[in-house]
Amino acid sequence: MIEQLIIEGLAIGACYGLFGVAVAIIYKTSEVVNFGQGEMGMISTFVAYHILAQYGLPFWLAFLITIVFAILLGMFIEFFFMRPAKDPTVLGLIIITLGAEMLLMGLASWKWGAEQKDFTFPLSVQELHEPIPGFVLNEWSMGVFILTGLIMVMLFLFFRYSNLGIAMRATQQNQNAAKIMGIKVERVFSFTWGMSSLIGAVAAMFFAARSVLDPNFMMEPFMRAFAAAVLGGLTSIPGVVVGGLLLGIIENFFGYLWPVWKPIVAFVVIIIILTIRPSGLFAKHYVKKV
Amino acid sequence: MKGTRSLVFWLMAVGVALALPVQSHAGAPGFDDKEIRIAQWGPQTGPAAPWGSVARGSDLIFKMVNDEGGIHGRKIKYFIRDDQYNPAQTKAVVKELVERRGIFAFVGGVGAACGMAVKDYLAENKVVWVGPSTAINEYVFPVNPYLFGIYPLYEDEASVLTKYVVEKLKVKKIGFFYQNDSYGKSGLTGCKQRLDTYKMSLVEEIPVEPGEKDLSSQMLRFKNSGAEVVIMWVNPTTATIAVKTCATIGYKPQWVSSNTLSDFPLMNTITGGLWEGVITGGFGVPPDSDHPLIVKYREAAKKYAPEERCGTFYLAGVLYAEPMIDALQRVGPNLSLEAFLNALNTTKDFQGIGPKITWTPDVHQGTDSIQIQQCGPNGSYILLQDWVPNELATWKKM
Amino acid sequence: MDMKRDYYEDIEIFSSGTVLFWSIALLIFLFTLPLYFPSYNVYLFNIILVHVILAVGLNILVGYTGQISLGHAGFFAIGAYGTTILMTHLGIPFFVSIILAGLIAAFFGFIIGLPALRLEGPYLAIATLGFGLTIMHIIGRWEVFGGRMGIQAPPLDIGVPQMGLSILLDSDVKMYYLILIITITMVIGARNMMKTRVGRAFVAIRDDDIAAEVMGVNLTAFKTLSFAVSAFYAGVAGGLFGFVLGFFDPFTFNLILSIIFLVMIVVGGLGSVLGAIMGATLITYLQYDLLKNIDEMPYLGDLLVWVSRKWFTVIGLENFNSILLGLIMLGIVIFEPLGMFGIWIRIKKYWKTWPF
């Protein structure tokens, strides 16, 4: 029983972590928490659903088209909503993401209606495997673990070795200095949004396969992913994933012992941790100087 | 440049505000020689929007009545307003409808808190409300002279279902999974009431918040308790996640549930076929049956609302309006509030596509009967047990 | 904008005769408002006024002190439930109850202010969000509060019914006057507070907290004070909101409401009392009244139905409301970082300097 609780907690936690990474990537470069992240993932998932249901394409093709769509969507929002903002304050930018969220939510509900849809996903939650005796894994969680690992390795290599990744880190550290060094900061922002939207879309598809697809399905996961990201420390990407895993385990253990308090236990733990470590578990605490 | 852009934007905003229609029908009695004004609120947007089809379903039967010449020469003018499942907004739209449009009666109406927020207002303004789309004891006890309930109380439904589980399925270990609100808790009460008569108790009862998306720990608890039957009183999304989660942990109890989850084609699709075999209560005749009225409504839906899926909720909207139209027909050409109330109060054993409905001046809860249905292959309906009342119903003894 | 020559000019409520004239005109307009509008609109005005109180309070925290809160729906709920419980269970008169409920909210605000001493930005956002959710959850669990089912507000009696002095406000219009008077008091209070030592300390913390501390501003005291004052406003607003609604459940005070409050003050203009008022009015109107019956509208309705048939679904047409609200938010924040207050200043300047 306990090992199953751990596996389930880790699987859903990895999903939160993956989505939290999408939030963290944008936060790292621009200090903006993107409240539209959930709905960006939601609409990408709906696009995949639409392609599958209307045109009957194979899943991998629909997946690829969706990925391209997600990247374009992220860049679109950055280019048309974030970039034109004049003398933006961080709070102003956050409100812009909220406006984008309402816009996307409205469009999706207008187009697909509110009724729940089934999202056919190749990795089923019902196919059980037992790689190590005693540890029962379903295909879905295996997919989550493999994908999270893969994306983490890719992100690590990307930020470490690719020019674009280094440019992103430079932009994050000091925008003006990066500009002077010849980095097109605006282009970096575009890529950031595209990348974040991509990761968000992949995570959203996993969420949809586990629950149901409707225009509201990403609200709750977004909140938890955001919380997980904060728990791990928003600026450290491995930290965010660890935060997600921790959140999943905490919720499942407490949820098993006291089901009544499951929805809020994670938040209480996070508040306690934040009072001890104000910048999350893994981020370096930034000490302000005058 | 800076100025012009914001000026244009502002002009647009003002333009939108001015484009709002200002037209008033304010006729106090809610009807005249040409029309009877009937309205319903329902969440068309926001998290509860799937319930919105109830309000649109009532539209179907009103259109049918109008095309057959209306009621004694009067057409029905029907208003739907979106309240986003938010009581504050329900009150706003209901006030607008009653005071500006002049509404004779409300029909249906989703949401426990939404209905509670406007219940007294409607009674003060003498607006009749027939068939709230949810069962709340406070609606009908004590009797509110303007409110007529159809929906079987969740206690009664849970009680009948539990009886079926114990007597027909012969199961000893029963778990109960309920939404932490009046809907779920009433179900739990009814189930326990019934179990008390058998000197049995639940092996596990777990509440859930409506928005929760991860139910692994809750399902593991049920698995651990060894419950063979899990009765669930939750919403469709939670039910889907619960059923899927149980499949992942290799636990397959017999699911039993309320009529809220009896939209089998929908549930079967969104659970990926896992819904087959689930037993639910049913408070309307299944949408795929060959009951003459259902056939008629199905045909009408194809004609008037080709976009709609003619499912359980959509037909529920029809069901709530049926007894109201029956009463209006019986009133005859001399319509008045008193005559309409009188007709409603003398409704006896009226049956459309729902259970038999009886209202007397002292009891405004129309029924306590449910059917028991099972989901067959591909979301088809299997009728396990026809209309059965709850003989334990406490309110009938009053 | 206008040059201030001495301190007394700065703390005046009415900076000139013109402002005094227009303020009085506005007051007369507000007090006669129910005469011009049909009765069902008064309900909306009540909600707007309640939101104005809350937005002005939230603005003290976000706009003036530079902290963020995603948990204001929690304080709002404490006010609503607190007032109702105090009146129904303990039989305390209305005015005492609402102030007590406001103080309870303020106490919770103080508690939340403590971690805020070390938290910033998204970390504070999550902490306050967690608070809002926890409050909602606890209320939903507790039978005294009516659980998830909700609770009925008592009749609004502003006298002392136990002593035979009963002044029952049983209509929206009567309630409107009570709420209007409380709103005006609270708004003037906020405006004055911002011109005292406390207000200047808040602004100093917003601009640079370490510099403020060096200047002798007690960070602990003023940050928690800002939270407490803001929560007090939210509590009082919540107390009134309960009576406006008559019946409410915990879901009424969800996270979306907290976000909407934040939207109000940013769209209205941060750090300005007038901005908060304008933002609360606009957003509430958009949410409650705009496009409630799209398909019945002349021209636009037909057009939208046609668009829906062609590319979207007619069933989902109501969601156009959400699209429009999103676009208006985007438009205001993108083109005018100071929000509606900025637009207001621009218009004022334009007319003052006209024809140049």
Side-chain angles (χ1 to χ4, degrees), chain B residues 2-3 5-7 9-10 13 16-17 19-21 23 44-47 56 77-93 95-97 99-101 112-114 116-121 124 136 138 178 180-182 185 207-210 212 307-309, chain C residues 38-41 43-44 47 137 140-141 143 147-149 152 170 172 241 243-249 251-252 256-257 282 285 287-293 296-298 300 308-309 312-316 318-321 324 327-332 335-336 340 343-344 346-347:
Chain B
K2 196 174 169 187
R5 252 206 283 187
S6 71
L7 195 68
F9 170 71
W10 242 157
V16 166
L20 289 169
Q23 42 179 216
Q44 303 297 325
T45 64
R56 301 196 300 272
K77 181 134 177 61
Y78 178 57
F79 301 87
I80 300 180
R81 287 291 182 277
D82 176 26
D83 67 346
Q84 300 180 353
Y85 212 61
N86 174 349
Q89 297 217 20
T90 315
K91 211 169 175 186
V93 295
K95 280 189 182 226
E96 188 254 3
L97 283 167
E99 290 170 31
R100 180 163 157 205
R101 309 282 180 170
C114 301
M116 288 300 286
V118 295
K119 180 177 68 112
D120 295 340
Y121 172 81
E124 276 163 26
I136 306 287
E138 283 86 345
Y178 64 102
N180 175 31
D181 57 10
S182 59
K185 283 181 183 163
V208 62
E209 296 298 317
E212 275 184 74
E307 280 204 332
E308 295 278 359
R309 190 176 61 83
Chain C
S39 51
Y40 58 85
N41 275 347
Y43 172 75
L44 180 64
I47 292 194
H137 197 79
R141 278 272 142 212
E143 283 310 318
R148 278 270 165 186
M149 176 62 214
Q152 186 90 39
D170 51 359
D172 282 346
F241 189 65
F243 292 105
V244 174
L245 268 186
F247 185 91
F248 46 92
D249 66 341
F251 186 72
T252 316
I256 299 167
L257 193 67
L282 178 79
Y285 168 72
Q287 264 208 309
Y288 278 79
D289 212 39
L290 181 72
L291 301 180
K292 268 291 155 182
N293 31 332
E296 287 173 23
M297 283 170 63
L300 185 62
S308 314
R309 285 246 158 74
F312 293 89
T313 54
V314 181
I315 300 169
E318 297 272 352
N319 290 289
F320 194 71
N321 188 336
L324 201 72
L327 281 177
I328 290 176
M329 272 162 60
L330 284 170
I332 291 181
F335 295 123
E336 190 52 73
M340 294 168 75
I343 298 170
W344 165 247
R346 178 122 21 91
I347 293 171

Side-chain angles (χ1 to χ4, degrees), chain A:
Chain A
M1 190 54 56
I2 193 149
E3 67 278 354
Q4 221 158 15
L5 265 180
I6 294 175
I7 291 173
E8 289 296 320
L10 284 178
I12 193 81
C15 241
Y16 290 143
L18 199 56
F19 203 72
V21 168
V23 177
I25 289 177
I26 289 180
Y27 180 79
K28 261 169 80 96
T29 44
S30 52
E31 294 211 338
V32 171
V33 176
N34 177 13
F35 276 88
Q37 195 85 52
E39 275 57 42
M40 284 161 67
M42 178 270 290
I43 217 158
S44 302
T45 314
F46 260 110
V47 166
Y49 162 79
H50 193 76
I51 295 169
L52 288 170
Q54 291 279 320
Y55 306 109
L57 295 184
F59 186 84
W60 64 269
L61 196 58
F63 184 80
L64 281 184
I65 298 174
T66 308
I67 291 296
V68 174
F69 171 82
I71 295 174
L72 291 178
L73 177 73
M75 288 180 163
F76 177 90
I77 290 178
E78 198 278 331
F79 188 81
F80 284 98
F81 298 153
M82 306 298 283
R83 204 177 287 183
K86 282 186 292 188
D87 327 316
T89 56
V90 170
L91 205 54
L93 288 174
I94 289 177
I95 301 296
I96 291 179
T97 65
L98 275 171
E101 187 238 309
M102 291 196 174
L103 190 68
L104 293 177
M105 178 79 101
L107 282 173
S109 324
W110 191 10
K111 172 78 194 163
W112 290 286
E115 200 164 77
Q116 299 91 338
K117 308 277 188 295
D118 68 312
F119 180 60
T120 35
F121 198 66
L123 300 173
S124 158
V125 285
Q126 298 168 53
E127 295 294 321
L128 302 182
H129 296 275
E130 209 168 336
I132 310 161
F135 280 75
V136 183
L137 268 177
N138 59 55
E139 274 187 355
W140 181 86
S141 359
M142 274 163 59
V144 170
F145 290 134
I146 293 170
L147 203 82
T148 309
L150 209 67
I151 287 184
M152 289 307 293
V153 171
M154 271 156 62
L155 279 179
F156 173 77
L157 295 176
F158 174 78
F159 279 116
R160 192 71 193 259
Y161 297 110
S162 78
N163 279 337
L164 190 59
I166 293 168
M168 274 179 168
R169 282 197 296 159
T171 312
Q172 170 210 340
Q173 279 171 7
N174 191 331
Q175 256 190 58
N176 290 330
K179 252 185 205 161
I180 293 167
M181 301 305 286
I183 293 171
K184 290 206 167 60
V185 174
E186 272 149 3
R187 209 170 281 175
V188 168
F189 280 137
S190 267
F191 276 112
T192 314
W193 275 74
M195 202 160 98
S196 155
S197 176
L198 186 165
I199 297 175
V202 173
M205 280 189 239
F206 272 94
F207 278 119
R210 205 187 149 97
S211 62
V212 297
L213 179 60
D214 66 30
N216 294 288
F217 88 101
M218 280 308 289
M219 275 195 173
E220 185 89 10
F222 166 74
M223 203 168 71
R224 277 167 209 274
F226 179 28
V230 165
L231 175 65
L234 267 168
T235 47
S236 146
I237 286 182
V240 169
V241 174
V242 176
L245 296 174
L246 265 177
L247 187 88
I249 289 191
I250 292 172
E251 277 207 324
N252 267 295
F253 268 95
F254 279 91
Y256 187 80
L257 295 175
W258 299 289
V260 174
W261 300 104
K262 183 172 181 185
I264 55 162
V265 69
F267 288 95
V268 175
V269 172
I270 286 171
I271 294 177
I272 294 168
I273 289 179
L274 284 183
T275 48
I276 301 161
R277 288 190 62 93
S279 294
L281 287 173
F282 298 94
K284 222 180 261 166
H285 187 51
Y286 166 68
V287 181
K288 223 186 199 171
K289 295 187 187 109
V290 179

